[in-house]
Amino acid sequence: MAIATAALLTLGVVACSEEETDASDLSANRAGSMAEYGVGDQFKATDPLSFSILYNNHTFYPLKQDWLFWSELTKRTNVTFEPVAVPLSDYEQKRSLLIGAGDAPLIIPKTYHPAENAFVSSGAILPVSDYLDLMPHFKDKLAKWNLKPEIDALRQSDGKFYLLPGIDEQPTQEYSLLVRTDILAELGLQVPKTWDDVYAMLKAMKAKYPASYPFSDRWGKPTPGGALLNFLGGSFGTQAGWNYQHATWVPSEKKFVYTGASEQYRQMLQYLNKLVAEGLLDPESFTQSDDAARQKLANGKSFVISGNAQTLVNENRPDLAKALPKAKLAKIPLPVGPAGEVNPASRTSSGGIMISSKARNSKNFVAMMQLVDWLWYSDAGQEFARWGVEGTTWTRDASGKRTLSPEIDMVGINPKASKHLQKDFGFHNGVFTYGGPTELSRSFFSPEEQEFQKVMSARTPIPVAPPAPLTDEEREQASLWETPLRDFVTQNTLRFILGQRPLSEWDAYVAELRAKNSDQHVALVNKAYERYQKENG
């Protein structure tokens, strides 16, 4: 075993030194690329090119080959994408299988940090930080928006990063509670500002409508309470649901703690347990289908659900309009919790792109990186992906304001239009649109969503956790611990919330986590943090 480990380490050193040499010598990989390409330039390949891309096929706008997006992209860039379509529900699993089998497309979007960590040691994905000189728009935005802390948080133990994140000028909090404001008016209540106010609101709703569960939630599959725990966790100063990470940075202590054993996590569970115990939160919220949750809201059996601007306009309001036409629903500013008035959104939270290592050997590698830079990171590419073609899908007035063409709808802007920007044209597609300048990234926001973001932008952004990259050997060890730990935390999170396990057993639960190596895991992360600080300052 020792000999095998030594051999692997030697191979790793050789691989690193070759990688550094390769990164600087791109003379054989420039076919089709632009000799001069800088900030503000329109990328156009000098020869017709095609690149494979993993495509997250959204149920709301299923892939169509005749979308204007595809033909216009080819017209502007001389590049054709070959999408490998994977259902939204199966995306992460299928991505892992394709990468593991060596069959992944060259461009792998819709990857959220730290998902890339699993593919680093195998060499299956590219250390993209070696190739930033090919990406002038990406580099320009990193410098202009002071994104060094966010980028450093992506670095691995070799000092490199392997994910090109979607980058926002400002953090944009998408998710919060959708609340029946007509019921608030009926009960003489104000919009709740804190989670304690939410509790009082739900109590009042229950008193008036005792047969109801005032709050019945969606997004319980595959992660129970995925969205709710995500944004509630931010309010309590922890990470949960979709955002669960094993280690949470505590700035005041200058160290990481094990998330699922922290006091903040316990307080969050205690809050939700109280809602369930008092009949305010539907216990089925964590296991029911989205359709079931939507149906309960539409039928007036519940009055509160998790949501974002798109689900509010595309799903919940139309649902209510059919069944309860007088009902009014609004997304309220994220309620404030023990963590204070914080904005839990990250400026790199909107997905990212991995590049398959196979791409590096392609004669068209430089052209591909220039294309990625233009489409995902230039102002022009981001505007194209989001709005489409000026004069066809949108127009611009003298002041520069964009207006969607009247025959096209998007988030209810033209509700009676016969066409839809996503479904019929392929624009504003989650595979291609994330991040960007605030003006552009929020350009489809309704006046009410702009108000929501104004409230959130006035709050303090949560501090970015410092880098704590594990070595390959440490990651191998951590990965053996992480699945059992995550499964145990998920299972007990649900049990504590539903009252199947009393919170008086919290200390016993923490001891059980320790028996599953939670202390060793967080010690490994803190060791990595200290090592990175020592080596990089």
Side-chain angles (χ1 to χ4, degrees):
M1 189 183 282
I3 292 166
T5 304
L8 281 171
L9 289 172
T10 308
L11 279 170
V13 172
V14 171
C16 280
S17 60
E18 283 177 358
E19 177 183 273
E20 282 154 19
T21 310
D22 287 349
S24 60
D25 179 19
L26 294 162
S27 51
N29 309 93
R30 294 187 174 276
S33 68
M34 290 174 65
E36 299 293 325
Y37 171 66
V39 175
D41 290 341
Q42 164 69 54
F43 167 75
K44 187 155 193 178
T46 56
D47 301 307
L49 302 176
S50 66
F51 299 117
S52 57
I53 182 168
L54 193 61
Y55 183 85
N56 188 345
N57 203 2
H58 202 292
T59 47
F60 185 68
Y61 45 94
L63 173 66
K64 291 181 184 170
Q65 298 297 339
D66 63 351
W67 275 341
L68 180 60
F69 175 86
W70 305 121
S71 55
E72 187 67 23
L73 179 75
T74 304
K75 183 175 158 188
R76 294 188 188 201
T77 65
N78 212 10
V79 170
T80 304
F81 276 142
E82 301 161 18
V84 176
V86 176
L88 175 70
S89 58
D90 205 22
Y91 189 74
E92 292 193 18
Q93 188 183 8
K94 186 76 173 174
R95 181 183 63 202
S96 295
L97 290 171
L98 286 167
I99 294 173
D103 297 329
L106 299 182
I107 302 170
I108 309 167
K110 292 304 282 182
T111 299
Y112 293 83
H113 176 72
E116 80 278 14
N117 291 355
F119 311 115
V120 170
S121 59
S122 67
I125 58 170
L126 209 60
V128 285
S129 54
D130 282 348
Y131 304 99
L132 297 191
D133 285 346
L134 305 178
M135 305 186 68
H137 294 101
F138 181 73
K139 278 179 76 174
D140 178 57
K141 284 183 166 64
L142 294 191
K144 204 160 57 180
W145 297 343
N146 302 313
L147 281 156
K148 187 177 185 302
E150 284 86 350
I151 293 300
D152 282 348
L154 303 175
R155 292 188 188 277
Q156 304 291 334
S157 58
D158 57 7
K160 302 177 182 189
F161 58 91
Y162 290 70
L163 180 76
L164 290 166
I167 49 176
D168 278 293
E169 184 179 4
Q170 285 183 292
T172 298
Q173 173 63 28
E174 284 193 58
Y175 294 88
S176 187
L177 297 178
L178 309 185
V179 175
R180 282 275 302 275
T181 51
D182 57 310
I183 302 289
L184 291 185
E186 181 190 327
L187 300 173
L189 296 174
Q190 298 296 311
V191 168
K193 292 204 167 134
T194 68
W195 285 104
D196 287 341
D197 294 343
V198 170
Y199 169 72
M201 171 190 78
L202 296 173
K203 286 278 280 185
M205 288 173 166
K206 181 77 174 178
K208 175 78 177 176
Y209 298 98
S212 74
Y213 282 114
F215 184 6
S216 188
D217 212 15
R218 63 183 301 173
W219 290 314
K221 294 177 178 181
T223 307
L228 172 61
L229 288 168
N230 182 4
F231 59 75
L232 183 66
S235 301
F236 275 77
T238 189
Q239 304 173 107
W242 289 340
N243 191 37
Y244 185 80
Q245 310 291 338
H246 292 280
T248 296
W249 175 246
V250 182
S252 59
E253 297 178 36
K254 291 250 183 300
K255 70 172 188 181
F256 289 87
V257 299
Y258 190 77
T259 306
S262 67
E263 174 59 17
Q264 291 88 344
Y265 201 86
R266 188 194 68 78
Q267 288 178 6
M268 177 192 72
L269 298 185
Q270 188 174 32
Y271 177 83
L272 288 172
N273 170 256
K274 180 170 73 168
L275 298 190
V276 171
E278 296 185 23
L280 310 179
L281 173 59
D282 184 354
E284 291 181 358
S285 294
F286 302 90
T287 50
Q288 69 188 350
S289 69
D290 284 9
D291 284 348
R294 283 173 61 182
Q295 202 60 43
K296 287 175 183 177
L297 186 79
N299 294 342
K301 290 180 178 173
S302 69
F303 315 115
V304 181
I305 194 169
S306 294
N308 60 22
Q310 290 209 35
T311 62
L312 173 67
V313 173
N314 291 339
E315 297 176 0
N316 301 114
R317 278 184 179 157
D319 289 349
L320 280 166
K322 287 178 200 162
L324 300 166
K326 291 184 180 173
K328 290 184 179 168
L329 193 71
K331 184 170 88 159
I332 67 167
L334 185 61
V336 175
E341 295 212 9
V342 295
N343 184 345
S346 158
R347 294 195 292 165
T348 54
S349 64
S350 55
I353 303 154
M354 296 188 293
I355 303 294
S356 168
S357 295
K358 293 183 295 187
R360 177 62 187 80
N361 299 320
S362 162
K363 65 179 183 177
N364 305 125
F365 173 66
V366 171
M368 191 189 88
M369 296 304 282
Q370 289 177 341
L371 168 77
V372 168
D373 178 69
W374 179 80
L375 180 57
W376 277 277
Y377 298 104
S378 76
D379 288 355
Q382 289 175 331
E383 182 179 69
F384 161 70
R386 202 173 289 271
W387 278 85
V389 181
E390 187 172 4
T392 302
T393 56
W394 64 281
T395 54
R396 194 194 310 265
D397 66 18
S399 70
K401 183 177 181 292
R402 303 175 198 85
T403 302
L404 200 59
S405 299
E407 70 279 6
I408 301 170
D409 186 31
M410 175 68 198
V411 291
I413 290 173
N414 297 317
K416 293 182 180 171
S418 58
K419 301 276 187 187
H420 192 277
L421 189 65
Q422 292 170 309
K423 295 177 184 180
D424 298 301
F425 298 92
F427 297 108
H428 213 296
N429 184 323
V431 176
F432 305 108
T433 51
Y434 34 85
T438 303
E439 179 278 322
L440 178 64
S441 66
R442 299 181 182 177
S443 56
F444 273 102
F445 289 3
S446 63
E448 66 178 321
E449 180 64 12
Q450 295 281 8
E451 277 303 306
F452 174 89
Q453 295 300 338
K454 197 169 157 189
V455 172
M456 296 307 298
S457 293
R459 297 184 185 179
T460 308
I462 54 167
V464 178
L470 304 180
T471 63
D472 287 350
E473 199 177 337
E474 287 168 340
R475 180 171 294 107
E476 196 175 328
Q477 177 58 74
S479 66
L480 293 174
W481 295 331
E482 283 174 356
T483 302
L485 279 168
R486 184 183 291 271
D487 289 348
F488 189 73
V489 170
T490 302
Q491 176 193 11
N492 280 277
T493 293
L494 196 52
R495 290 180 69 205
F496 281 129
I497 291 169
L498 298 179
Q500 293 164 354
R501 183 171 191 180
L503 277 152
S504 57
E505 289 186 19
W506 180 259
D507 290 347
Y509 154 77
V510 171
E512 289 157 16
L513 277 174
R514 287 196 182 113
K516 294 182 183 295
N517 303 297
S518 61
D519 283 359
Q520 288 94 317
H521 187 286
V522 85
L524 209 59
V525 174
N526 279 313
K527 179 181 159 191
Y529 157 67
E530 286 158 16
R531 180 176 61 229
Y532 190 91
Q533 289 296 307
K534 195 173 172 186
E535 291 172 2
N536 299 278

